[in-house]
Amino acid sequence: GPGRNAEREQIIDGVLTRLGEALTQRVMYATPLGVTGSLRNTTYFRVNSTPDIVAGDTIYTLSIVQDARHAGFMYRPIVVRGRRIGRRPPAKELEAWVQLKWGVTDSEIKSAAYKLAGSIAAKGTNPNHYPRQVLDRSQDILNEAANHLGTELVVHLTDI
């Protein structure tokens, strides 16, 4: 009856919430710290449910989100996929990184950032597949959640 469905939904929500908390911690730990730490610090999870009218059931989705923005755009996809050769990023946006990572003096910052922007345009940047690596190393908690629910979990990686 209806009470049984509510109980089932509460169990599913609880399992997905615990899984979301655990995966969020793992993703945060694996995320490159960068200069500001904002990519790591904007990591959270959400559980959504959508009625599947055809099957007469509910589809549950657990999302781990990183929505750090810089200069108005999401930069997580650039970190994860890398940057293709050919486009020069704005040198101004690299100044804090150059100062922190290279330890250049104040008078060298602009020049070093400009050189780095040129290098990125010429060589691109390497991808960092930390989300996939976290998922690959998380079979233990995924299996535990699936066993608790008595069902299979379908896992997808999606970039925003």
Side-chain angles (χ1 to χ4, degrees):
R4 188 166 165 81
N5 278 346
E7 182 181 323
R8 178 177 169 263
E9 288 177 15
Q10 192 173 12
I11 291 169
I12 292 170
D13 188 63
V15 169
L16 292 179
T17 296
R18 286 190 300 280
L19 180 60
E21 290 167 350
L23 286 173
T24 297
Q25 289 300 311
R26 290 180 181 200
V27 168
M28 285 177 69
Y29 181 76
T31 301
L33 188 55
V35 175
T36 64
S38 63
L39 185 57
R40 184 178 283 186
N41 295 334
T42 61
T43 307
Y44 63 94
F45 75 94
R46 66 175 166 240
V47 176
N48 292 321
S49 60
T50 309
D52 182 346
I53 297 165
V54 174
D57 205 351
T58 303
I59 298 171
Y60 293 88
T61 307
L62 168 64
S63 302
I64 309 298
V65 181
Q66 291 185 300
D67 63 1
R69 297 172 189 273
H70 187 75
F73 70 92
M74 304 280 289
Y75 63 89
R76 180 186 174 276
I78 294 171
V79 172
V80 173
R81 294 187 207 126
R83 187 179 181 108
R84 292 192 311 260
I85 295 171
R87 290 192 52 216
R88 175 187 283 273
K92 179 86 176 138
E93 304 300 328
L94 300 173
E95 289 178 6
W97 190 91
V98 165
Q99 187 173 27
L100 180 73
K101 299 291 185 174
W102 290 355
V104 297
T105 64
D106 288 350
S107 62
E108 300 170 319
I109 291 173
K110 287 189 187 326
S111 173
Y114 186 81
K115 287 178 187 171
L116 177 59
S119 175
I120 290 172
K123 300 176 188 170
T125 61
N126 292 327
N128 183 333
H129 299 290
Y130 69 91
R132 167 54 60 195
Q133 293 163 353
V134 167
L135 204 54
D136 290 347
R137 289 191 309 259
S138 295
Q139 284 306 305
D140 57 338
I141 59 175
L142 293 170
N143 290 339
E144 183 182 319
N147 289 337
H148 192 80
L149 294 172
T151 186
E152 180 183 350
L153 294 177
V154 179
V155 178
H156 298 283
L157 282 179
T158 307
D159 271 332
I160 297 172

